[in-house]
Amino acid sequence: MRCHDLNDLEATISSKVWLGLVFALSCMLVSVVHAESGKLREKGSLYVEAASTSATAGSVDAGVTVELLERKGFWVKLKAPAVTGWTKISNVAVEQGSGGGTGLTALASGRSGANNSSSTAGGRGLGGDEIKAAAPNRAALESLGKLAVGSDEAAQFAREAGLQSKDVTYVPAADAKSAKSSKSKT
Amino acid sequence: MSTQIRSCALLVMVLAASYLSFEDVYAAGKAIPSLSSIPSIPGIGATKPSPAKSNDASTGSTAFDAIKTVTAKESPEEEVESGNIVAASILGAAPLWNNAKAQHYINLVGRHVAQHSERPELIWRFAVLDTPSINAFAFPGGIVFVTRGLYDLLETEDELAAILSHEVVHINRKHQWEVIKQQKLVALGASAALKGDHDAIMAKVASIGTEMISKGLDKSAEYQADREGMVIAGRSGYDASAMLGVMQKLRAQKGDDKSLGLLFATHPAPSDRINALEASATPAIEALVLPSPAAGRLAKYH
């Protein structure tokens, strides 16, 4: 193999490795929460993994202040004074505005991140008074109509990313509580 | 219910409207069951429902032509055009974001999600509004707005899909349209001057719609949109739990942040929504909580 072929091969492998690393990092960090703190609602076990079938990492009393480290589905990883482990997200009471921000998610996604509420968006705020005082902008509505896409184009865009449709049924509101209690028994 | 009882119920509403402020009528409207079973008002006529519109995109050039009559019957044209006039009012307060790439992107994601709802035949239109406020809005007939303040807050396509799914449910369930229909009937019954005056009716619908948006829907409608939005996002191939991430981001913001004022005034607290979402998660939904393969795509469309 000639020298420049080897260089090309090395460059190709190198770029694929980097792409793989970036993708893996993104997958690891997309569900990182933002260093919220809260208190445990009830005394209970923290699990080693995000499943009630996993081993217990230890027990934490109700009211103990914990730091939220990571979310995985409906589970959240907590750091308590003496133990770190997983519990259901509803078992933690978090006060509004308790997020501290880590910057990790912004690094992973290239976006501004959840704790940067100072959006770079222009224009003015959109509160109730502004909405009630507004006059219809029909020209903008016509522009909006031109943004619409067809179902085929949207489906193609979804396929390009590997999205796959699933068959899932709704849960009636009245059944939500019983669904939760039946799950907790497992 | 007999026709006489229906007529009496409508008469009571009309009489009440002449004594009550808009706020009173609006609050009452939230508690009143759907009036879709009440026949159209005699002598004013009914709009003939037309077949469902095509699946393809449209410019919506007939945006304001159909609300010419008063009817309590379901009319796809009235629903779409009511949504158009209210959306146009919001566009009068906040312009479309001048970012064609992002606007196309949100339409692709939104349309994909909407295809997994019960109303794929609507002419779905999505847009990002150029305002730092953090919010999202749904309008009857298939229009969804996300503010740039909220768009900036998101980190994954799963989170964007979660928000769009929530708004799609509002349109599927006709949450806003039911309120507008009821309020419009009351207003028209109370004012003879409105009858047959298309422009006046449109102005009244715009007023009802903007008032509704500034006051918000019943909280049960928001919980339903969360619960069913989670399912629609999962059906579409996205992380069904992504709305939890959005709620965590909202919860991390300071409660007195002005950009969140309207959102917090019109929706349940993020922590309550998180708890309700978890309570609604069946094993089938819990199986769909991994980041989707499209999660990282959002960063390219900003």
Side-chain angles (χ1 to χ4, degrees):
Chain A
M1 190 176 284
R2 288 177 297 182
C3 184
H4 69 270
D5 290 335
L6 283 171
N7 288 339
D8 288 347
L9 181 62
E10 186 181 358
T12 302
I13 292 172
S14 176
S15 64
K16 287 185 175 177
V17 167
W18 274 110
L19 278 173
L21 283 172
V22 168
F23 179 75
L25 187 63
S26 299
C27 290
M28 287 168 61
L29 296 179
V30 287
S31 62
V32 170
V33 297
H34 298 271
E36 289 181 304
S37 61
K39 294 182 185 298
L40 221 59
R41 293 182 192 277
E42 297 176 3
K43 179 181 180 179
S45 298
L46 298 188
Y47 294 91
V48 173
E49 295 176 9
S52 55
T53 52
S54 77
T56 56
S59 180
V60 180
D61 288 333
V64 168
T65 299
V66 294
E67 185 181 348
L68 282 67
L69 302 176
E70 180 185 354
R71 181 182 65 80
K72 190 179 287 183
F74 298 94
W75 290 76
V76 63
K77 190 174 186 179
L78 305 177
K79 184 180 179 184
V83 63
T84 296
W86 295 84
T87 188
K88 282 305 206 56
I89 197 166
S90 61
N91 196 27
V92 189
V94 178
E95 287 187 15
Q96 183 69 42
S98 70
T102 64
L104 287 176
T105 45
L107 178 68
S109 63
R111 300 192 49 81
S112 56
N115 285 290
N116 181 4
S117 63
S118 301
S119 168
T120 55
R124 58 198 166 114
L126 188 60
D129 291 342
E130 289 81 11
I131 288 172
K132 284 187 280 188
N137 184 338
R138 295 171 187 244
L141 185 75
E142 296 299 323
S143 299
L144 174 70
K146 293 171 185 169
L147 296 175
V149 301
S151 55
D152 290 346
E153 186 180 358
Q156 174 62 28
F157 189 68
R159 277 194 298 273
E160 287 171 4
L163 290 172
Q164 293 185 332
S165 298
K166 309 279 171 42
D167 186 14
V168 194
T169 55
Y170 292 129
V171 182
D175 293 347
K177 194 172 179 182
S178 58
K180 184 186 178 187
S181 62
S182 65
K183 279 187 303 166
S184 64
K185 293 174 185 171
T186 60
Chain B
M1 188 186 288
S2 69
T3 303
Q4 289 85 354
I5 293 173
R6 288 179 188 143
S7 300
C8 284
L10 187 58
L11 180 60
V12 166
M13 288 180 64
V14 169
L15 290 173
S18 62
Y19 289 100
L20 301 176
S21 66
F22 181 89
E23 287 74 14
D24 295 327
V25 174
Y26 178 79
K30 283 186 172 182
I32 297 170
S34 168
L35 298 181
S36 57
S37 60
I38 296 176
S40 56
I41 299 169
I44 300 180
T47 301
K48 184 181 178 183
S50 68
K53 297 194 173 178
S54 91
N55 247 5
D56 295 329
S58 163
T59 60
S61 58
T62 58
F64 301 107
D65 294 339
I67 301 178
K68 294 174 179 169
T69 56
V70 181
T71 172
K73 286 186 178 179
E74 190 69 25
S75 164
E77 289 85 359
E78 286 189 51
E79 181 188 358
V80 169
E81 288 151 26
S82 294
N84 283 346
I85 187 65
V86 181
S89 298
I90 301 302
L91 289 169
L96 295 170
W97 185 19
N98 186 23
N99 183 330
K101 199 173 169 184
Q103 299 290 15
H104 187 52
Y105 174 62
I106 195 174
N107 275 277
L108 290 167
V109 176
R111 185 57 189 257
H112 176 63
V113 162
Q115 285 301 114
H116 292 81
S117 75
E118 283 66 40
R119 304 186 75 190
E121 78 283 359
L122 291 177
I123 301 169
W124 291 93
R125 290 156 287 170
F126 301 84
V128 183
L129 301 182
D130 196 4
T131 168
S133 293
I134 296 171
N135 218 331
F137 307 95
F139 303 89
I143 297 176
V144 173
F145 291 155
V146 173
T147 66
R148 195 174 159 199
L150 179 55
Y151 190 81
D152 282 349
L153 205 57
L154 305 178
E155 296 175 273
T156 67
E157 188 169 306
D158 290 324
E159 292 177 346
L160 176 62
I163 289 165
L164 298 180
S165 297
H166 172 104
E167 301 304 331
V168 162
V169 173
H170 280 316
I171 294 168
N172 279 345
R173 295 293 183 181
K174 303 179 182 177
H175 288 152
Q176 288 87 355
W177 177 223
E178 290 296 335
V179 173
I180 290 174
K181 268 198 308 186
Q182 292 173 12
Q183 302 295 331
K184 189 179 71 169
L185 271 177
V186 172
L188 289 168
S191 172
L194 282 177
K195 291 171 187 170
D197 186 339
H198 178 244
D199 290 345
I201 294 173
M202 293 299 289
K204 176 54 71 177
V205 169
S207 170
I208 291 169
T210 53
E211 190 80 23
M212 172 187 67
I213 288 171
S214 67
K215 291 186 179 302
L217 295 166
D218 191 281
K219 295 291 186 286
S220 64
E222 296 299 341
Y223 283 121
Q224 183 181 38
D226 279 348
R227 194 170 62 246
E228 297 188 359
M230 181 167 62
V231 171
I232 289 179
R235 283 178 188 167
S236 307
Y238 290 107
D239 176 359
S241 71
M243 194 62 157
L244 294 178
V246 177
M247 290 299 116
Q248 284 184 289
K249 289 174 172 60
L250 296 179
R251 190 169 62 180
Q253 308 301 312
K254 296 298 179 191
D256 58 356
D257 188 332
K258 279 186 178 178
S259 66
L260 283 157
L262 182 60
L263 178 70
F264 282 175
T266 55
H267 290 74
S271 285
D272 293 340
R273 296 173 72 180
I274 286 174
N275 293 341
L277 281 166
E278 186 196 305
S280 304
T282 59
I285 292 171
E286 292 213 33
L288 302 174
V289 298
L290 292 174
S292 79
R297 199 160 51 171
L298 181 72
K300 294 194 293 182
Y301 295 93
H302 193 257

